[in-house]
Amino acid sequence: MASSATRKAPNAFMFCRQIDVLKRASSEADSATEWEDASAIARAYKIGRWESQAISNLQHRMPAEVSNALKAAIKTRGMRGFILHEVVGRDIFNLAYSSGTEALEVWHSQLTNSDDNQLVLLLIERMSRDWDRVPLKKPWGWKDTNSLHSRCGLYLYFRSLLKSTVSDADFAREEPKLRDQFLQGYLDADIEHALLHSAPPGDLKSIGVLRSGPVCVSEACFDVNRNFLVYIFV
């Protein structure tokens, strides 16, 4: 009895594992349909709005590749210490979600989750990297995650513009260095500046990449000891 009284309630990811077990054990063809409805989940298990919505998203509204990546991140870090239910419940990991709203409306298309899942998978990887390297850890909340989502989206957009400008061989050689800079947070200030002070189509020359002459890969562009995006956004 004492153990039951002090035991913490299961989180959304634990519920999903239990749901999967129930679905496999059930002989009814439509036994899983109720899990699509967040309000039905909340009523059945007496849990809160965001937890029930998180369960619904994980089970039915999130691409499988994304759900698996998020579950893998949770498995090694723990749900309660890594991310709040509100973040998963607000659809940020779902297809077609966009952080391009209000002041960032001009970037709506570039900040929208597409069916290639690149943006969301990068978001989960960056969230994991940031959480791992901070000594005083706290779970990701909605505001910080949404802000990071927009930075991931704009990074991928300018990365695609750059890829279309330089040779495939040069891009393949240097892109991992650029990606590593982003994952370590070195490019955040410049990306945030671009989000607030520029607009699509975001032509590289118009925002400061090598203001004279064609854009090319050089030591000035990709020196890993310097901030690459100084050349893009200054």
Side-chain angles (χ1 to χ4, degrees), residues 59-72:
Q59 289 295 110
H60 293 284
R61 296 180 174 85
M62 198 179 294
E65 183 181 21
V66 174
S67 176
N68 290 337
L70 192 55
K71 289 174 181 176

Side-chain angles (χ1 to χ4, degrees), residues 42-54:
R43 289 194 301 271
Y45 288 90
K46 295 181 175 58
I47 57 179
R49 170 192 175 190
W50 292 124
E51 187 170 356
S52 60
Q53 188 62 53

Side-chain angles (χ1 to χ4, degrees), residues 18-85:
Q18 294 169 359
I19 292 168
D20 289 339
V21 171
L22 289 173
K23 283 160 53 176
R24 289 195 296 269
S26 176
S27 60
E28 298 179 17
D30 62 347
S31 60
T33 56
E34 65 181 292
W35 299 108
E36 298 181 12
D37 187 347
S39 60
I41 299 171
R43 289 194 301 271
Y45 288 90
K46 295 181 175 58
I47 57 179
R49 170 192 175 190
W50 292 124
E51 187 170 356
S52 60
Q53 188 62 53
I55 295 169
S56 182
N57 282 345
L58 285 164
Q59 289 295 110
H60 293 284
R61 296 180 174 85
M62 198 179 294
E65 183 181 21
V66 174
S67 176
N68 290 337
L70 192 55
K71 289 174 181 176
I74 294 298
K75 185 176 181 179
T76 58
R77 296 169 182 85
M79 160 75 190
R80 297 184 184 280
F82 183 66
I83 191 171
L84 300 180
H85 279 113

Side-chain angles (χ1 to χ4, degrees), residues 17 24 32 39 42-43 66 101 131 137 159 163 187 198 227 231:
R17 287 196 293 271
R24 289 195 296 269
S39 60
R43 289 194 301 271
V66 174
T101 59
W131 193 88
K137 303 184 186 304
R159 174 185 174 275
K163 188 177 189 299
L187 310 183
S198 64
N227 189 335
Y231 294 90

Side-chain angles (χ1 to χ4, degrees), residues 155-169:
Y155 164 77
L156 290 175
Y157 175 65
F158 280 110
R159 174 185 174 275
S160 69
L161 289 184
L162 186 67
K163 188 177 189 299
S164 67
T165 306
V166 302
S167 71
D168 291 343

Side-chain angles (χ1 to χ4, degrees), residues 105-130:
E105 181 66 35
V106 294
W107 294 106
H108 185 275
S109 176
Q110 292 78 10
L111 307 185
T112 299
N113 297 342
S114 61
D115 54 11
D116 64 11
N117 297 326
Q118 279 194 69
L119 201 168
V120 189
L121 294 176
L122 180 63
L123 173 63
I124 295 171
E125 184 178 2
R126 176 64 192 273
M127 290 171 68
S128 300
R129 290 279 197 101
D130 284 6

